[in-house]
Amino acid sequence: MAEKKFTVLDLLELELQGHDSLNLKCIAGRRGLTRPLIVPDVNRPGLALSGFYEAFAYQRVQVFGRGETAYLAKLKNEGNSENIKKLFTYQVPCCVFTHRLEPNKEFLAIAEEANCPVLQTDLESSDFSSRLLRVVSTVFAPHKTMHGVLVEVYGIGIFLSGHSGVGKSEAALELVERGHRLVADDIVEMRCVNGNTIIGQGANNQISHHMEIRGLGIINVTQMYGVGAIRNQKEIQLVVNLEEWDSQKVYDRIGTDQKTVELFGVKVPMLEIPVKPGRNLPIILEAAAKNERLKRMGYFSARDFNQNIIKWIETGEAQAVYYSGDDFY
């Protein structure tokens, strides 16, 4: 099944807030709102308007700032509309006028005839371009959905994986109760941004902050614990695989060998934590988050412990303790 195209209309309908808001509205060419955005980049069409169309990056969003708008006014005064008509012979996805600028009626008429959307924003050109690039880089980033729970613990994004019924949601609920934050439960959508950062969020914004607890049912974390108990998205910095305790399996007890899992070619630290009655998973996950933060600060407790043991052995103190034991013959 082919992936759904991202269109100009999709760009207008994005629910963006704060520093991501684009403040866009359509002022002409509504029939072309279904045009797809193919290249996640912008272009300033000054050279094209002057007649130079070689290497014209027509597949990008065309941004018209004060300079381009002033040049359009100059072309109108000169009665020269040929270069404008030629611009719209290309399949331009849309034109965006920044600074709340409005093109002349002739430009709008040509765009309308070509079914090319003309958008307007009150943002400055540089600000709009940086915001748009940030937004479309996320939209066009490689992505996939995975079964699991994503929580933020002490600032570390932890993705909990494991078989159904192993206790992922219950552990996440206890973490929320202890003051940490839920990002998504059950289905997590992951995106690789900038080639080295894995961002996770709920696959559906309407249900991502709900949790299914067996024996209790569906609960709304936002309503029960407040908006401080949730996040819309978070970088995945640690993957924890929960599995039922296997007495035949040898689990890592030192932690000197750091396991990783590849997500979109990015290696993310990974832990395997066995689950059985009596183990307090939330406390273990809190310790794992703190330990991961220490590693990112340059302190690796397991390797430090190992080096201290080696130094202790090299000093001869270990041999003295061993040979002085009461059970030595």
Side-chain angles (χ1 to χ4, degrees):
M1 182 177 178
E3 188 175 349
K4 180 180 178 297
K5 293 182 179 179
F6 185 77
T7 66
V8 179
L9 181 60
D10 294 327
L11 179 65
L12 285 171
E13 293 181 342
L14 286 176
E15 296 180 1
L16 303 172
Q17 299 177 353
H19 296 296
D20 288 330
S21 178
L22 298 175
N23 303 339
L24 287 170
K25 67 177 181 179
C26 183
I27 59 176
R30 293 184 179 276
R31 288 177 297 178
L33 287 176
T34 55
R35 289 191 177 188
L37 294 178
I38 301 174
V39 179
D41 207 343
V42 299
N43 181 60
R44 303 292 293 268
L47 286 175
L49 293 175
S50 67
F52 183 79
Y53 279 90
E54 293 183 28
F56 175 40
Y58 68 91
Q59 292 181 316
R60 303 179 183 182
V61 173
Q62 306 298 311
V63 177
F64 289 73
R66 288 196 174 100
E68 290 83 2
T69 305
Y71 192 74
L72 287 177
K74 178 177 180 294
L75 292 177
K76 181 179 181 302
N77 294 333
E78 295 174 351
N80 182 4
S81 61
E82 293 303 316
N83 289 338
I84 298 176
K85 291 179 180 178
K86 186 173 182 180
L87 183 143
F88 288 110
T89 61
Y90 293 85
Q91 192 69 8
V92 174
C94 66
C95 299
V96 180
F97 284 79
T98 60
H99 301 276
R100 204 181 275 110
L101 296 169
E102 291 191 10
N104 55 63
K105 293 182 179 179
E106 184 178 6
F107 181 93
L108 292 176
I110 297 173
E112 195 75 51
E113 184 179 356
N115 294 329
C116 180
V118 179
L119 312 181
Q120 184 187 62
T121 179
D122 59 351
L123 298 174
E124 296 181 358
S125 300
S126 58
D127 191 13
F128 171 77
S129 298
S130 61
R131 293 191 187 194
L132 180 64
L133 290 175
R134 187 165 62 245
V135 170
V136 296
S137 65
T138 300
V139 171
F140 282 83
H143 65 279
K144 65 180 178 180
T145 57
M146 292 185 65
H147 175 69
V149 182
L150 180 57
V151 290
E152 181 194 56
V153 183
Y154 296 127
I156 297 293
I158 301 179
F159 177 70
L160 302 177
S161 64
H163 294 298
S164 179
V166 76
K168 300 184 296 295
S169 295
E170 289 79 2
L173 181 61
E174 176 62 23
L175 288 170
V176 171
E177 185 76 38
R178 296 169 69 91
H180 306 291
R181 296 197 280 185
L182 172 72
V183 181
D185 179 62
D186 194 32
I187 301 297
V188 178
E189 182 180 88
M190 300 181 181
R191 292 182 180 271
C192 181
V193 181
N194 299 326
N196 59 0
T197 303
I198 309 299
I199 301 295
Q201 63 183 34
N204 187 317
N205 292 333
Q206 303 301 321
I207 63 175
S208 60
H209 296 138
H210 291 70
M211 299 184 72
E212 176 192 351
I213 306 298
R214 285 175 173 79
L216 181 60
I218 304 295
I219 64 171
N220 188 323
V221 174
T222 309
Q223 295 294 328
M224 291 184 66
Y225 297 96
V227 294
I230 62 170
R231 278 197 65 153
N232 291 329
Q233 62 180 21
K234 176 64 181 175
E235 179 185 354
I236 298 176
Q237 298 155 294
L238 179 64
V239 175
V240 175
N241 183 49
L242 303 180
E243 59 180 50
E244 296 184 3
W245 188 288
D246 184 358
S247 59
Q248 303 300 317
K249 184 175 180 178
V250 178
Y251 295 102
D252 188 5
R253 300 180 63 178
I254 305 297
T256 53
D257 297 328
Q258 177 68 69
K259 295 183 179 179
T260 60
V261 60
E262 281 200 10
L263 299 173
F264 303 101
V266 179
K267 292 185 178 181
V268 181
M270 191 266 287
L271 297 175
E272 292 181 343
I273 297 182
V275 178
K276 72 174 183 178
R279 299 203 87 196
N280 193 323
L281 278 180
I283 290 181
I284 295 175
L285 292 172
E286 285 182 335
K290 290 180 179 179
N291 194 43
E292 182 62 28
R293 290 193 66 177
L294 283 173
K295 290 179 182 178
R296 290 172 179 268
M297 295 170 62
Y299 178 76
F300 203 133
S301 57
R303 292 177 182 171
D304 186 60
F305 173 80
N306 190 47
Q307 291 174 359
N308 289 337
I309 291 296
I310 294 175
K311 290 179 181 178
W312 183 55
I313 293 175
E314 290 176 346
T315 59
E317 294 182 11
Q319 296 181 10
V321 171
Y322 177 78
Y323 288 117
S324 64
D326 294 335
D327 57 349
F328 175 71
Y329 295 97

